[in-house]
């Protein structure tokens, strides 16, 4: 694995082509590529940490415009910024129609920025693994901030929150009664609610919406990993570049507080354990589709339990027994 | 397995002691008991179906009073009624302080009623399996109605809904703004929202609450398995025995409509497949705690991923590799 050591060195040295090559390894489904990726991780420098910011928002809320303005603001401060996208729909559509680099034209030309579109994989589990590993590669490559962006659909926001140090939810100005529509679970994982489009005609609505969120957030129980006043709602205009400095200050304040109070490291450890559990779960489930025999037995099980001729417990026991026998017969054959 | 055939015959014959013995088998964790239970299920008469009614409500909402009144109403119509309780807290407390039979004094003395308290098991998965299998035993024993009762906590309501033909949610009268507090997911699985305590001082509040729920239910998308007007909210007083006939009529109407339109059987088949998937999941997870070696490796995995020295994917891969090796070494030793 001398190659892995060399690649690790190049990544640590900040070479973009090495980073891109490593990401290709990480995204690959080929077993030899996965083995190379694992060897690479063992060789990467430890201890380099970026600030991982998760950002979620529904389509049309102005995510790209905000990331472009926000990212340029950070690179202007000589910070190196990586932007990763997690698009749960890319599995079906094979990627967004407008590429991420088209969406963020100026930022994509910035030498201190690195933009990576969403991988197209069939399973959200696969997307989660790839994104987590790319975050680690970006940290090893010396990026100061890793922005992980997702649309607010299904499980993808929870997934991104579970790999972020700070999680922000981007919202559009709305009528008062729409507030209820925000999923309760999301309010509970958001550190910041950022109301965008506080410009032109929408400004009064944005102010009202922001006030509504402030009120709603006050009703939530304060979390132990939060300083006074968090989670917080604030108002920005990505278009007119207003409020973004405040947003950055709030993020830094929260991150620093968590570092000083021991919650930063604890949060990262808990997240790693969460992903370990998820990987185990996915790995175990993969056993059920591993061979034709098992797949047939699972299909048969679904049929007989639907008929009511076999109880679910008994049908499942048959599959599990077969799985264990399968492992044995592999040995006998070998 | 001649014993199983005999026991099956006695159950089909409506012998209560045989039913109680079978439930003991089903609740047992002993492998020989589980084998006996499986043999028993193979011998039970097929095709006997009860109406399975799920009923959920938080403590204090008047569940016991309602079940007592409602159950007596059914037995008065010569219907045989089984009442099963699912108490997710019984795992810790070792059962409710007031036994179920104390809570429903008259019904428990009724020869056409059969009341079975919640089993105390450490895992909700175990409780689910046991309850499902007891439902099947009660059907084989010729009960017409099986009432599955649970408190509205955590996963237990979803679990009960997944084994019911009709699912009712019992609510107390509330102030208008408390309506938001109802978990959205619950509104989506309830067939009936029953507002209890429509008596005395609380009657006006009950009427308001019922109207609020009617309004809220109208906002939900109509489900294909529902006739016009469902899900529905209605008002009862378990204490004064009012509205319970209506409640029974609504339940029968819904059940008959679903039978006539093919949704009844489809729903039961889908539920059986859901439980098959759950049993598979639990069985696979049990592999992780099956041996000291695996448990140690999982603990080690949780440690190294928290340290950040090994990626979650790599740590999980190690455990999964060990699991397969474990099955192999069993063979080599044997």
């Amino acid at each position: 694995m001398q190659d892995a050591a060399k690649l690790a060195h190049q990544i640590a040295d900040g070479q973009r082509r090495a980073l891109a090559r490593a990401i290709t390894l990480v995204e690959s489904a080929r077993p030899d590529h996965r083995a190379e990726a694992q060897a690479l991780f063992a060789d990467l420098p430890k201890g380099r940490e970026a600030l991982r910011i998760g950002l979620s928002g529904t389509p049309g809320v102005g995510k790209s415009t905000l990331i472009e303005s926000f990212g340029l603001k950070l690179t202007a401060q000589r910070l190196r910024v990586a932007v990763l996208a997690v698009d749960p729909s890319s599995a079906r559509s094979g990627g967004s129609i407008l590429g991420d680099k088209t969406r963020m034209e100026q930022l994509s030309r910035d030498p201190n920025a690195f933009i990576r579109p969403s991988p197209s994989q069939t399973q959200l589990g696969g997307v989660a693994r790839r994104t987590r590993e790319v975050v680690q590669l970006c940290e090893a490559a010396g990026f100061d901030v890793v922005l992980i962006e997702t649309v607010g659909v299904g499980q993808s926001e929870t997934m991104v929150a579970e790999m972020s140090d700070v999680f922000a939810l981007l919202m559009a100005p709305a009528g008062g009664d729409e507030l209820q529509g925000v999923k309760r679970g999301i309010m509970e994982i958001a550190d910041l609610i950022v109301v965008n489009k506080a410009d032109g005609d929408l400004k009064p609505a944005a102010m009202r919406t922001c006030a509504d969120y402030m009120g709603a957030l006050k009703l939530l129980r304060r979390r132990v990993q939060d300083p006074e006043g968090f989670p917080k709602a604030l108002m920005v205009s990505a278009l007119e570049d207003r409020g973004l400095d405040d947003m950055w200050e709030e993020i830094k304040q929260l991150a620093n507080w968590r570092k000083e109070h021991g919650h930063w490291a604890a949060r990262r450890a808990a997240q790693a354990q969460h992903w370990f559990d998820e990987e185990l779960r996915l790995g175990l489930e993969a056993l059920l589709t591993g061979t034709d025999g098992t797949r047939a037995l699972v299909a048969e099980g679904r049929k007989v339990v639907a008929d009511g001729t076999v109880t679910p417990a008994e049908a499942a026991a048959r599959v599990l027994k077969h799985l264990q026998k399968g492992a044995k017969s592999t040995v006998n054959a070998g």
Side-chain angles (χ1 to χ4, degrees), chain A residues 192-209:
Chain A
L192 282 180
I193 291 185
V194 180
V195 181
N196 192 20
K197 305 196 179 178
D199 41 49
D201 281 358
L202 288 171
K203 198 162 183 181
M207 289 174 71
R208 234 179 14 242
T209 304

mmCIF file with all atom_site columns, all heavy atoms in Angstrom, chain A residues 192-209:
data_model
loop_
_atom_site.group_PDB
_atom_site.id
_atom_site.type_symbol
_atom_site.label_atom_id
_atom_site.label_alt_id
_atom_site.label_comp_id
_atom_site.label_asym_id
_atom_site.label_entity_id
_atom_site.label_seq_id
_atom_site.pdbx_PDB_ins_code
_atom_site.Cartn_x
_atom_site.Cartn_y
_atom_site.Cartn_z
_atom_site.occupancy
_atom_site.B_iso_or_equiv
_atom_site.pdbx_formal_charge
_atom_site.auth_seq_id
_atom_site.auth_comp_id
_atom_site.auth_asym_id
_atom_site.auth_atom_id
_atom_site.pdbx_PDB_model_num
ATOM 1   N N   . LEU A 1 192 ? -29.329 26.828 13.919 1.00 0.00 ? 192 LEU A N   1
ATOM 2   C CA  . LEU A 1 192 ? -29.691 28.148 13.409 1.00 0.00 ? 192 LEU A CA  1
ATOM 3   C C   . LEU A 1 192 ? -30.816 27.995 12.400 1.00 0.00 ? 192 LEU A C   1
ATOM 4   O O   . LEU A 1 192 ? -30.760 27.104 11.555 1.00 0.00 ? 192 LEU A O   1
ATOM 5   C CB  . LEU A 1 192 ? -28.505 28.787 12.675 1.00 0.00 ? 192 LEU A CB  1
ATOM 6   C CG  . LEU A 1 192 ? -27.376 29.423 13.458 1.00 0.00 ? 192 LEU A CG  1
ATOM 7   C CD1 . LEU A 1 192 ? -26.337 29.975 12.479 1.00 0.00 ? 192 LEU A CD1 1
ATOM 8   C CD2 . LEU A 1 192 ? -27.896 30.534 14.367 1.00 0.00 ? 192 LEU A CD2 1
ATOM 9   N N   . ILE A 1 193 ? -31.805 28.873 12.510 1.00 0.00 ? 193 ILE A N   1
ATOM 10  C CA  . ILE A 1 193 ? -32.787 28.954 11.429 1.00 0.00 ? 193 ILE A CA  1
ATOM 11  C C   . ILE A 1 193 ? -32.515 30.277 10.722 1.00 0.00 ? 193 ILE A C   1
ATOM 12  O O   . ILE A 1 193 ? -32.570 31.348 11.337 1.00 0.00 ? 193 ILE A O   1
ATOM 13  C CB  . ILE A 1 193 ? -34.228 28.885 11.965 1.00 0.00 ? 193 ILE A CB  1
ATOM 14  C CG1 . ILE A 1 193 ? -34.479 27.467 12.503 1.00 0.00 ? 193 ILE A CG1 1
ATOM 15  C CG2 . ILE A 1 193 ? -35.228 29.235 10.873 1.00 0.00 ? 193 ILE A CG2 1
ATOM 16  C CD1 . ILE A 1 193 ? -35.900 27.221 12.947 1.00 0.00 ? 193 ILE A CD1 1
ATOM 17  N N   . VAL A 1 194 ? -32.163 30.177 9.443  1.00 0.00 ? 194 VAL A N   1
ATOM 18  C CA  . VAL A 1 194 ? -31.779 31.363 8.684  1.00 0.00 ? 194 VAL A CA  1
ATOM 19  C C   . VAL A 1 194 ? -32.899 31.685 7.706  1.00 0.00 ? 194 VAL A C   1
ATOM 20  O O   . VAL A 1 194 ? -33.178 30.904 6.794  1.00 0.00 ? 194 VAL A O   1
ATOM 21  C CB  . VAL A 1 194 ? -30.457 31.108 7.929  1.00 0.00 ? 194 VAL A CB  1
ATOM 22  C CG1 . VAL A 1 194 ? -30.052 32.345 7.141  1.00 0.00 ? 194 VAL A CG1 1
ATOM 23  C CG2 . VAL A 1 194 ? -29.351 30.701 8.903  1.00 0.00 ? 194 VAL A CG2 1
ATOM 24  N N   . VAL A 1 195 ? -33.560 32.824 7.927  1.00 0.00 ? 195 VAL A N   1
ATOM 25  C CA  . VAL A 1 195 ? -34.630 33.237 7.025  1.00 0.00 ? 195 VAL A CA  1
ATOM 26  C C   . VAL A 1 195 ? -34.011 34.088 5.922  1.00 0.00 ? 195 VAL A C   1
ATOM 27  O O   . VAL A 1 195 ? -33.511 35.183 6.167  1.00 0.00 ? 195 VAL A O   1
ATOM 28  C CB  . VAL A 1 195 ? -35.731 34.012 7.765  1.00 0.00 ? 195 VAL A CB  1
ATOM 29  C CG1 . VAL A 1 195 ? -36.847 34.412 6.801  1.00 0.00 ? 195 VAL A CG1 1
ATOM 30  C CG2 . VAL A 1 195 ? -36.291 33.187 8.908  1.00 0.00 ? 195 VAL A CG2 1
ATOM 31  N N   . ASN A 1 196 ? -34.038 33.558 4.715  1.00 0.00 ? 196 ASN A N   1
ATOM 32  C CA  . ASN A 1 196 ? -33.425 34.227 3.570  1.00 0.00 ? 196 ASN A CA  1
ATOM 33  C C   . ASN A 1 196 ? -34.436 35.145 2.868  1.00 0.00 ? 196 ASN A C   1
ATOM 34  O O   . ASN A 1 196 ? -35.612 35.165 3.236  1.00 0.00 ? 196 ASN A O   1
ATOM 35  C CB  . ASN A 1 196 ? -32.894 33.156 2.592  1.00 0.00 ? 196 ASN A CB  1
ATOM 36  C CG  . ASN A 1 196 ? -31.994 33.755 1.512  1.00 0.00 ? 196 ASN A CG  1
ATOM 37  O OD1 . ASN A 1 196 ? -31.460 34.858 1.677  1.00 0.00 ? 196 ASN A OD1 1
ATOM 38  N ND2 . ASN A 1 196 ? -31.825 33.028 0.412  1.00 0.00 ? 196 ASN A ND2 1
ATOM 39  N N   . LYS A 1 197 ? -33.958 35.872 1.889  1.00 0.00 ? 197 LYS A N   1
ATOM 40  C CA  . LYS A 1 197 ? -34.802 36.747 1.054  1.00 0.00 ? 197 LYS A CA  1
ATOM 41  C C   . LYS A 1 197 ? -35.379 37.920 1.835  1.00 0.00 ? 197 LYS A C   1
ATOM 42  O O   . LYS A 1 197 ? -36.501 38.372 1.546  1.00 0.00 ? 197 LYS A O   1
ATOM 43  C CB  . LYS A 1 197 ? -35.931 35.951 0.386  1.00 0.00 ? 197 LYS A CB  1
ATOM 44  C CG  . LYS A 1 197 ? -35.399 34.763 -0.407 1.00 0.00 ? 197 LYS A CG  1
ATOM 45  C CD  . LYS A 1 197 ? -36.427 34.200 -1.361 1.00 0.00 ? 197 LYS A CD  1
ATOM 46  C CE  . LYS A 1 197 ? -35.814 33.038 -2.140 1.00 0.00 ? 197 LYS A CE  1
ATOM 47  N NZ  . LYS A 1 197 ? -36.751 32.397 -3.071 1.00 0.00 ? 197 LYS A NZ  1
ATOM 48  N N   . ALA A 1 198 ? -34.617 38.373 2.846  1.00 0.00 ? 198 ALA A N   1
ATOM 49  C CA  . ALA A 1 198 ? -35.039 39.574 3.568  1.00 0.00 ? 198 ALA A CA  1
ATOM 50  C C   . ALA A 1 198 ? -34.671 40.782 2.705  1.00 0.00 ? 198 ALA A C   1
ATOM 51  O O   . ALA A 1 198 ? -33.825 41.601 3.055  1.00 0.00 ? 198 ALA A O   1
ATOM 52  C CB  . ALA A 1 198 ? -34.364 39.629 4.929  1.00 0.00 ? 198 ALA A CB  1
ATOM 53  N N   . ASP A 1 199 ? -35.285 40.860 1.529  1.00 0.00 ? 199 ASP A N   1
ATOM 54  C CA  . ASP A 1 199 ? -35.008 41.961 0.615  1.00 0.00 ? 199 ASP A CA  1
ATOM 55  C C   . ASP A 1 199 ? -36.271 42.303 -0.179 1.00 0.00 ? 199 ASP A C   1
ATOM 56  O O   . ASP A 1 199 ? -37.174 41.480 -0.316 1.00 0.00 ? 199 ASP A O   1
ATOM 57  C CB  . ASP A 1 199 ? -33.851 41.590 -0.337 1.00 0.00 ? 199 ASP A CB  1
ATOM 58  C CG  . ASP A 1 199 ? -33.937 40.145 -0.822 1.00 0.00 ? 199 ASP A CG  1
ATOM 59  O OD1 . ASP A 1 199 ? -35.026 39.721 -1.281 1.00 0.00 ? 199 ASP A OD1 1
ATOM 60  O OD2 . ASP A 1 199 ? -32.927 39.426 -0.732 1.00 0.00 ? 199 ASP A OD2 1
ATOM 61  N N   . GLY A 1 200 ? -36.322 43.526 -0.689 1.00 0.00 ? 200 GLY A N   1
ATOM 62  C CA  . GLY A 1 200 ? -37.450 43.967 -1.519 1.00 0.00 ? 200 GLY A CA  1
ATOM 63  C C   . GLY A 1 200 ? -38.797 43.754 -0.855 1.00 0.00 ? 200 GLY A C   1
ATOM 64  O O   . GLY A 1 200 ? -38.956 43.955 0.361  1.00 0.00 ? 200 GLY A O   1
ATOM 65  N N   . ASP A 1 201 ? -39.721 43.287 -1.667 1.00 0.00 ? 201 ASP A N   1
ATOM 66  C CA  . ASP A 1 201 ? -41.098 43.082 -1.213 1.00 0.00 ? 201 ASP A CA  1
ATOM 67  C C   . ASP A 1 201 ? -41.212 42.113 -0.050 1.00 0.00 ? 201 ASP A C   1
ATOM 68  O O   . ASP A 1 201 ? -42.152 42.187 0.737  1.00 0.00 ? 201 ASP A O   1
ATOM 69  C CB  . ASP A 1 201 ? -41.930 42.472 -2.363 1.00 0.00 ? 201 ASP A CB  1
ATOM 70  C CG  . ASP A 1 201 ? -42.334 43.533 -3.360 1.00 0.00 ? 201 ASP A CG  1
ATOM 71  O OD1 . ASP A 1 201 ? -41.992 44.707 -3.105 1.00 0.00 ? 201 ASP A OD1 1
ATOM 72  O OD2 . ASP A 1 201 ? -42.953 43.180 -4.375 1.00 0.00 ? 201 ASP A OD2 1
ATOM 73  N N   . LEU A 1 202 ? -40.284 41.161 -0.003 1.00 0.00 ? 202 LEU A N   1
ATOM 74  C CA  . LEU A 1 202 ? -40.410 40.083 0.972  1.00 0.00 ? 202 LEU A CA  1
ATOM 75  C C   . LEU A 1 202 ? -39.895 40.461 2.359  1.00 0.00 ? 202 LEU A C   1
ATOM 76  O O   . LEU A 1 202 ? -40.039 39.697 3.307  1.00 0.00 ? 202 LEU A O   1
ATOM 77  C CB  . LEU A 1 202 ? -39.683 38.827 0.478  1.00 0.00 ? 202 LEU A CB  1
ATOM 78  C CG  . LEU A 1 202 ? -40.366 38.096 -0.681 1.00 0.00 ? 202 LEU A CG  1
ATOM 79  C CD1 . LEU A 1 202 ? -39.471 37.005 -1.235 1.00 0.00 ? 202 LEU A CD1 1
ATOM 80  C CD2 . LEU A 1 202 ? -41.696 37.499 -0.210 1.00 0.00 ? 202 LEU A CD2 1
ATOM 81  N N   . LYS A 1 203 ? -39.277 41.635 2.479  1.00 0.00 ? 203 LYS A N   1
ATOM 82  C CA  . LYS A 1 203 ? -38.644 41.993 3.742  1.00 0.00 ? 203 LYS A CA  1
ATOM 83  C C   . LYS A 1 203 ? -39.606 41.951 4.939  1.00 0.00 ? 203 LYS A C   1
ATOM 84  O O   . LYS A 1 203 ? -39.277 41.342 5.965  1.00 0.00 ? 203 LYS A O   1
ATOM 85  C CB  . LYS A 1 203 ? -37.962 43.350 3.647  1.00 0.00 ? 203 LYS A CB  1
ATOM 86  C CG  . LYS A 1 203 ? -36.958 43.557 4.760  1.00 0.00 ? 203 LYS A CG  1
ATOM 87  C CD  . LYS A 1 203 ? -35.977 44.648 4.463  1.00 0.00 ? 203 LYS A CD  1
ATOM 88  C CE  . LYS A 1 203 ? -34.959 44.719 5.605  1.00 0.00 ? 203 LYS A CE  1
ATOM 89  N NZ  . LYS A 1 203 ? -33.982 45.791 5.376  1.00 0.00 ? 203 LYS A NZ  1
ATOM 90  N N   . PRO A 1 204 ? -40.800 42.574 4.833  1.00 0.00 ? 204 PRO A N   1
ATOM 91  C CA  . PRO A 1 204 ? -41.706 42.506 5.999  1.00 0.00 ? 204 PRO A CA  1
ATOM 92  C C   . PRO A 1 204 ? -42.064 41.062 6.370  1.00 0.00 ? 204 PRO A C   1
ATOM 93  O O   . PRO A 1 204 ? -42.070 40.694 7.548  1.00 0.00 ? 204 PRO A O   1
ATOM 94  C CB  . PRO A 1 204 ? -42.948 43.271 5.523  1.00 0.00 ? 204 PRO A CB  1
ATOM 95  C CG  . PRO A 1 204 ? -42.485 44.111 4.383  1.00 0.00 ? 204 PRO A CG  1
ATOM 96  C CD  . PRO A 1 204 ? -41.360 43.384 3.731  1.00 0.00 ? 204 PRO A CD  1
ATOM 97  N N   . ALA A 1 205 ? -42.336 40.242 5.351  1.00 0.00 ? 205 ALA A N   1
ATOM 98  C CA  . ALA A 1 205 ? -42.682 38.843 5.620  1.00 0.00 ? 205 ALA A CA  1
ATOM 99  C C   . ALA A 1 205 ? -41.507 38.124 6.274  1.00 0.00 ? 205 ALA A C   1
ATOM 100 O O   . ALA A 1 205 ? -41.692 37.293 7.172  1.00 0.00 ? 205 ALA A O   1
ATOM 101 C CB  . ALA A 1 205 ? -43.086 38.145 4.323  1.00 0.00 ? 205 ALA A CB  1
ATOM 102 N N   . ALA A 1 206 ? -40.292 38.437 5.815  1.00 0.00 ? 206 ALA A N   1
ATOM 103 C CA  . ALA A 1 206 ? -39.108 37.797 6.394  1.00 0.00 ? 206 ALA A CA  1
ATOM 104 C C   . ALA A 1 206 ? -38.967 38.161 7.868  1.00 0.00 ? 206 ALA A C   1
ATOM 105 O O   . ALA A 1 206 ? -38.646 37.315 8.707  1.00 0.00 ? 206 ALA A O   1
ATOM 106 C CB  . ALA A 1 206 ? -37.854 38.208 5.624  1.00 0.00 ? 206 ALA A CB  1
ATOM 107 N N   . MET A 1 207 ? -39.232 39.426 8.193  1.00 0.00 ? 207 MET A N   1
ATOM 108 C CA  . MET A 1 207 ? -39.129 39.867 9.587  1.00 0.00 ? 207 MET A CA  1
ATOM 109 C C   . MET A 1 207 ? -40.143 39.139 10.449 1.00 0.00 ? 207 MET A C   1
ATOM 110 O O   . MET A 1 207 ? -39.840 38.681 11.553 1.00 0.00 ? 207 MET A O   1
ATOM 111 C CB  . MET A 1 207 ? -39.339 41.380 9.680  1.00 0.00 ? 207 MET A CB  1
ATOM 112 C CG  . MET A 1 207 ? -38.182 42.177 9.098  1.00 0.00 ? 207 MET A CG  1
ATOM 113 S SD  . MET A 1 207 ? -38.510 43.965 9.057  1.00 0.00 ? 207 MET A SD  1
ATOM 114 C CE  . MET A 1 207 ? -38.412 44.352 10.798 1.00 0.00 ? 207 MET A CE  1
ATOM 115 N N   . ARG A 1 208 ? -41.357 39.018 9.941  1.00 0.00 ? 208 ARG A N   1
ATOM 116 C CA  . ARG A 1 208 ? -42.412 38.334 10.681 1.00 0.00 ? 208 ARG A CA  1
ATOM 117 C C   . ARG A 1 208 ? -42.060 36.861 10.866 1.00 0.00 ? 208 ARG A C   1
ATOM 118 O O   . ARG A 1 208 ? -42.170 36.305 11.959 1.00 0.00 ? 208 ARG A O   1
ATOM 119 C CB  . ARG A 1 208 ? -43.733 38.457 9.911  1.00 0.00 ? 208 ARG A CB  1
ATOM 120 C CG  . ARG A 1 208 ? -44.867 39.013 10.711 1.00 0.00 ? 208 ARG A CG  1
ATOM 121 C CD  . ARG A 1 208 ? -46.160 39.149 9.914  1.00 0.00 ? 208 ARG A CD  1
ATOM 122 N NE  . ARG A 1 208 ? -46.183 38.439 8.660  1.00 0.00 ? 208 ARG A NE  1
ATOM 123 C CZ  . ARG A 1 208 ? -46.324 39.026 7.462  1.00 0.00 ? 208 ARG A CZ  1
ATOM 124 N NH1 . ARG A 1 208 ? -46.434 40.336 7.383  1.00 0.00 ? 208 ARG A NH1 1
ATOM 125 N NH2 . ARG A 1 208 ? -46.361 38.297 6.365  1.00 0.00 ? 208 ARG A NH2 1
ATOM 126 N N   . THR A 1 209 ? -41.611 36.252 9.778  1.00 0.00 ? 209 THR A N   1
ATOM 127 C CA  . THR A 1 209 ? -41.264 34.829 9.837  1.00 0.00 ? 209 THR A CA  1
ATOM 128 C C   . THR A 1 209 ? -40.143 34.581 10.846 1.00 0.00 ? 209 THR A C   1
ATOM 129 O O   . THR A 1 209 ? -40.200 33.643 11.646 1.00 0.00 ? 209 THR A O   1
ATOM 130 C CB  . THR A 1 209 ? -40.821 34.335 8.442  1.00 0.00 ? 209 THR A CB  1
ATOM 131 O OG1 . THR A 1 209 ? -41.868 34.614 7.514  1.00 0.00 ? 209 THR A OG1 1
ATOM 132 C CG2 . THR A 1 209 ? -40.543 32.847 8.453  1.00 0.00 ? 209 THR A CG2 1
#
